[in-house]
Amino acid sequence: MNISDQDYDALIKERSKPSPMGKNLLWAFFVGGGICTLGQVLLELYQSWGLDQEKAGTVVSITLIFCAALLTGLGWFDELAKHAGAGTLVPITGFANAMVSSALEFKSEGLITGTEVKLFTIAGPVLISGISASVVVGLVTWLVQQLG
């Protein structure tokens, strides 16, 4: 079947549903905001239990990572992400989801060649970027202190 580019474009436009951008933006805003609000509530809760700000922040991060990993393992995170879109990509929960999803997807290939290799396929670029940025910031800070 030969079809011209113009006919193909017309066919795609005819069959494609328009994206409800307003609805998607609201879902992303409220779910992302809800995750951040949950983080703030947890921070205040942990501080009321006697942890200082830094330790409470660390425990909040651990809690959010655990919750995102658990929800991913149960298959619920993906259901939430279908509706919330980018709202679930609040960095710490989105990264936890990406790590657990890749581990689950490739566990049938074995521990080393499946799960661990795929975990580092996802985490590797993030780790390299984070470590490289911290080295650069550290060097710049050191140079400023030496010169100033």
Side-chain angles (χ1 to χ4, degrees):
M1 175 177 173
N2 276 341
I3 187 168
S4 71
D5 289 342
Q6 293 84 6
D7 291 338
Y8 181 75
D9 286 341
L11 183 64
I12 294 296
K13 286 179 184 175
E14 176 185 316
R15 303 248 171 114
S16 298
K17 286 194 241 177
S19 175
M21 186 173 293
K23 177 182 159 192
N24 291 345
L25 288 172
L26 285 174
W27 267 103
F29 176 79
F30 284 113
V31 172
I35 292 170
C36 292
T37 301
L38 174 63
Q40 186 63 42
V41 168
L42 288 171
L43 180 70
E44 293 181 20
L45 175 68
Y46 293 144
Q47 285 179 320
S48 76
W49 290 351
L51 295 177
D52 63 40
Q53 173 107 19
E54 186 176 340
K55 288 181 183 170
T58 301
V59 177
V60 168
S61 296
I62 292 168
T63 303
L64 290 175
I65 289 168
F66 173 79
C67 289
L70 179 65
L71 292 175
T72 300
L74 294 172
W76 297 349
F77 196 95
D78 291 339
E79 287 300 315
L80 177 62
K82 282 181 189 176
H83 299 290
T88 57
L89 295 178
V90 173
I92 201 161
T93 55
F95 186 67
N97 172 257
M99 294 290 294
V100 173
S101 293
S102 65
L104 291 173
E105 185 176 346
F106 294 99
K107 73 179 180 181
S108 62
E109 294 179 25
L111 181 63
I112 303 297
T113 58
T115 302
E116 290 182 6
V117 168
K118 293 304 176 184
L119 282 176
F120 285 104
T121 300
I122 300 292
V126 175
L127 294 173
I128 294 298
S129 298
I131 292 167
S132 300
S134 66
V135 168
V136 169
V137 169
L139 287 173
V140 169
T141 302
W142 179 79
L143 280 172
V144 168
Q145 289 175 351
Q146 296 301 312
L147 298 173

